[in-house]
């Protein structure tokens, strides 16, 4: 498994007009599951071409996070998960946790997050 945590970008997602106009910081964590054979081959060859290039995954996720606005963070998380599976053939399953720590909630809170799991069919 490869974990990529705390990717941060400014996005314009939210139900409120203010959220879409002003934007806010979002964070995303990704867990990428690969077959043991993929990890073993990558470790044996010490070649990035034999595994998942997590810089490419980060670019994909951040592009979506900072890209086309959505009203729901569920929508954004699914977009990221689907894009990772579409662009990374060695990933068999992906978990995306999308954090919205500046959500407009009238309470003292640390975070709001949505978790999406997708696997290759």
């Amino acid at each position: 498994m490869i974990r990529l945590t705390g990717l941060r970008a400014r996005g314009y997602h939210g139900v409120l007009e203010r959220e879409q106009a002003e934007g806010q910081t979002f964070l995303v964590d990704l867990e990428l599951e690969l077959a043991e054979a993929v990890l073993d081959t990558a470790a044996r060859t010490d070649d990035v071409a034999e595994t998942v290039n997590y810089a490419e995954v980060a670019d994909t996720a951040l592009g979506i996070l900072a890209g086309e606005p959505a009203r729901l963070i569920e929508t954004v998380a699914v977009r990221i998960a689907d894009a990772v599976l579409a662009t990374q053939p060695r990933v068999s399953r992906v978990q995306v946790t999308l954090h919205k720590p500046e959500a407009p909630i009238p309470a003292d809170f640390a975070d709001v997050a949505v978790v999406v799991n997708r696997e290759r069919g």
Side-chain angles (χ1 to χ4, degrees), residues 2 4 7 30-35 38-39 47-62 64 79-96 118-121:
I2 296 174
L4 190 55
L7 293 171
L30 297 119
E31 287 190 6
L32 312 172
E33 190 170 303
L34 292 74
V38 171
L39 292 172
D47 184 354
V48 71
E50 297 296 333
T51 189
V52 172
N53 183 328
Y54 45 81
E56 292 175 3
V57 174
D59 285 345
T60 297
L62 292 173
I64 292 168
R79 285 177 185 169
I80 293 170
D82 290 347
V84 168
L85 288 177
T87 60
Q88 300 295 326
R90 288 186 173 93
V91 174
S92 58
R93 186 188 68 79
V94 61
Q95 180 178 74
V96 176
R118 290 285 189 267
E119 55 186 81
R120 199 168 295 289

